Structures are given as structure tokens and as C-alpha cells.
Amino acid sequence: MRLPARFGLSTRLVAAFLLVAAISAVTTATLTYREARTAVLEQSQDAAVSQLREELRPIGQSLPPDRQALEALCKVLARKGTPHPWTVFAEYGSIKASSTDRLTSTVITPELRRAAHERPRGSFQRVVKNGRPWLTIGMPVVFTDAGTRMSAGIVFYAVMPLATEEANVQAMLTAARDGAVPALAVALVPALLAARSVLRPVRDLGRAATSMGAGRLSTRIDVRGTDELADLARTFNASAQALERSVQELQQAEARARRFASDVSHEMRTPLAGMLAVTEVLDEDAEGLAPDTAAAVRLISAETGKLATLVEDLMEISRFDARAAELNLDEVDAAEAIRKTLQQRRWEDQVETDLPEGIRAGLDPRRFDVVVANLVGNALRHGARPVLVRLRTEQRPDDTWLVTEVCDSGPGIDPEVLPHIFDRFYKADAARRRSAGSGLGLAITLENVRLHNGTVRAAGGPRGGTVFTVEIPLEATE
């Protein structure tokens, strides 16, 4: 028996307990019924067979083989029949007699007649006729001649109803059936107690697992007893302790790594500022230098600029990791904010726009500028023209959302790469050793969008290329 999955473990345990109790009760009642029935029927049967044998023992050769004598003897035997009145029939060749008007009975079977003739000690059968049980006994009359038991050729048949015994057996069956329901009700109490004792540690384990899933790694289970459930609790506690230790070590290592990156970036800002000033001066005088020297100066200037960008991005990522990034919201015109981003970077001629007027949103202007600049710059560097920036609003049941899309016409991004596109320092092309960016632009974009309680995703465009979609609630909250 398998209960549906919607039933709880407690219900299944109680049901299993009651099922076992019911099977045990039915099995016990069935065996008891069989034994009691056999005992009741055999008692009446043995008494009747023994009495008929004893009554016929002294007759022997003295019995006159005529019908009147046989009828008289049948009536005498019928009156003496126990434990219930008998109907007695006698057969001697073609002579038949009985204690009633009928000379034979349909209850007496050919098998009994054959057995009675073949066995000197007689035979018996229990027969059900028309729904009524009967005991039939066939007993031959024997005598002893010179020490040899011989048959006189006369066979007596006694027919006795077993209705009383059958009624007693049915009464026992009814009592056993009626007693099964209270027995199951009584079994329900220990079933509930057993289910409670089994489920208590399981519920404790479930609550502890939920607590650990919520981040409370110090959660432990109280261990009771020495059974398998107690062993499970000890194993859980040991695993939780090991997990807590590992997480603490990872958190400490991560904190050290973040602190190292932040410290290094901070320490590099001052010398980089000086290097940038020097490279600007060298850039201005590069025209008057020898060609090789001018190329070297421009290379140094470009690489110094990249290093400065990397340091600034590392500082920004460190603020996000330390949860020190702040969101300064202001109500701004979203289309105008995007146009300013493109104008400041001189991208107006390289980017197509679809910017409806009048869309005002709660944004952090600086961070929204970083989001748009990173996505457009990424499209220009790694995609292909035309690059399109599209703005719209989208009504949803919970809120109105500002949707910004940046589309390029490049070869697109491999679907296997898309899940990792916002990872730090991730390169879609492993062979590409260098890039114009720091490798943190999309990671910073993701963090800035999350700070606005929004989402950003990348997907393939309907006509090729890549589409980056930024979704931010129109009325963002800090």
C-alpha cells in the first residue's frame, strides 16, 4: 500500500502502524476462527461417532436382519443420539429402514457409503446441503468369530444437523470482527505516540536545515538517545560545524583579498596621478621627438591610462564588495541622461538612438551614466555598427519599469558564454590576451543595476548581434 505524496510523513507512519495492526488483528482472528471452528465441530463429531460405535458394538450376530427389527433399532439409536437428535438409516442388502418415514437421505453421499462398506470402524463426513451443515456417519455392524472381526453386512447411517455449532462459530466470527474496530482505535494511540517520537528529530532536522539555509550556520540539533535518528543528528551537527568552519575560512580569505585589492588600488592612485601628468606632458611634446621615441611615449601614455582605469574600477568593485556603495537617487529625464552620456564620450555619430521624450525615472545619474557608457563602449569595441540604444517603459502588475536596450550588429556571443558575461575579468575569447577595457566594466554595470533593484541580461539579437537589456523600476528606492 503506497499513500499519495500529498500525505505527510506523520500520516503515513500512523497509516502504516494501523495497517500492520489491522493485518495482525485479521490474521489472529482468522487463525482463531479456524481453530475454534475445528474444535467445536470436532467435539460434536467425535462425540457422535463414538456414541454410534458404542451403541452398535453389542449387537453383532444377534441382530435379526428383517425390516421391522431394523426400524425399531433405528428409532432406539435416534432417541439416544447426542449432542443433537439423529436421523438413523439402516441398509442390509436390499432391505432399508430408518427412524423416519424416509428410507434414505440425500445428505448421505456415495463416497460415505463406499467408505462405510470398506472400513470396519466406519467413516464420517461434514456436508453442506442447501446452505445447512450436516454431520453424516456411516458405521458397519461387525462381530468377532474365532478372534476375527467380520462384517455382518448391515450398515447404519446417522445424520445430525450442525446448525447449533455453525451458529456458535458465526457468533465467534462476529465477535472477532466487532472487536477489530475497537482494537484499531486502541492501536491508534501508540501509533500517534510512535509517530511523534520518530518525527520529532526529523522536524528538528528540518528546522535546523532551514535555519542554516537562511545563513545561521551556528545552528545545531539537540541529540537525544542512541538510535539511528540520534546518529543522524550527530552527523548533521558535525557537518554543520565543518561547514561553518569552512565558510568562516572562506569569508576571511575573501575579506583579505578584498582588503588587499582595495589597499593596492588606493596606494597606486597617487603614483598613477603623477604618471598621468607626466604622460600628458610627453604627449604634448611627442610631435617634436624622433618617430621611435614618439611611438614609445604614446604607448606609455596609453598603457598608463589603462592602468589608471583599472585602478578606478578596482576601487569601485571594492566598494561594492564592502557594501559601501551608495545610491543617490534623483528624478531625471532618462532620454536626456543617455544623450549626455553619448555626448561626453563623443559617440553621437557612432550610435543610433530611439529615446522617447518625457520619461522621468528615479535614478542615480552618475551610476546610470556608468551603466550606459559601459554597455555602449562594450558594443562599440566588441560588436559592430550600427549600435542602437533604445528606451521604453513597460507596465507590470507590481510596478512600471524603465527598459534600456543596447544592440549591436556584431557576430553575437556564444550561448555557452552568456551565463559568464558579467563575471569579473571574464574573456569570451580565451586567445584574446589584451582588451581596451579593464575586464570589470560589465561586472560594475551589474552591481550598479542591482543597486537600483533592477536586472541586466544579455541575449542574441533577432537579426544577429547582441542585445543588453537593463530593467530598473521607474520609481526606484534606496
Side-chain angles (χ1 to χ4, degrees), residues 371-450:
V371 169
V372 175
N374 283 344
L375 294 179
V376 174
N378 185 77
L380 292 173
R381 284 192 300 270
H382 305 299
R385 298 180 186 180
V387 173
L388 171 65
V389 179
R390 186 164 45 219
L391 184 69
R392 71 175 190 277
T393 58
E394 188 173 302
Q395 187 66 42
R396 297 180 185 176
D398 55 345
D399 201 355
T400 302
W401 289 69
L402 178 69
V403 181
T404 307
E405 293 180 342
V406 178
C407 316
D408 66 55
S409 304
I413 301 176
D414 190 331
E416 296 181 357
V417 172
L418 287 176
H420 309 285
I421 199 68
F422 294 100
D423 294 350
R424 300 174 186 182
F425 300 110
Y426 182 78
K427 289 183 174 62
D429 183 2
R432 181 166 52 87
R433 300 296 181 183
R434 299 294 306 277
S435 67
S438 66
L440 295 172
L442 292 181
I444 292 175
T445 297
L446 176 64
E447 296 296 342
N448 278 314
V449 173
R450 284 177 175 172

Side-chain angles (χ1 to χ4, degrees), residues 46-56 77 79-83 86:
D46 293 345
V49 171
S50 297
Q51 184 181 5
L52 181 60
R53 184 178 291 119
E54 291 300 322
E55 293 294 335
L56 295 179
L77 292 175
R79 286 194 297 271
K80 292 182 177 181
T82 58
W86 296 349

Side-chain angles (χ1 to χ4, degrees), residues 201-223:
V202 175
R203 292 193 182 102
D204 292 344
L205 182 62
R207 285 192 291 268
T210 302
S211 178
M212 290 190 66
R216 294 183 287 273
L217 300 181
S218 60
T219 303
R220 300 292 185 271
I221 300 176
D222 293 333
V223 180

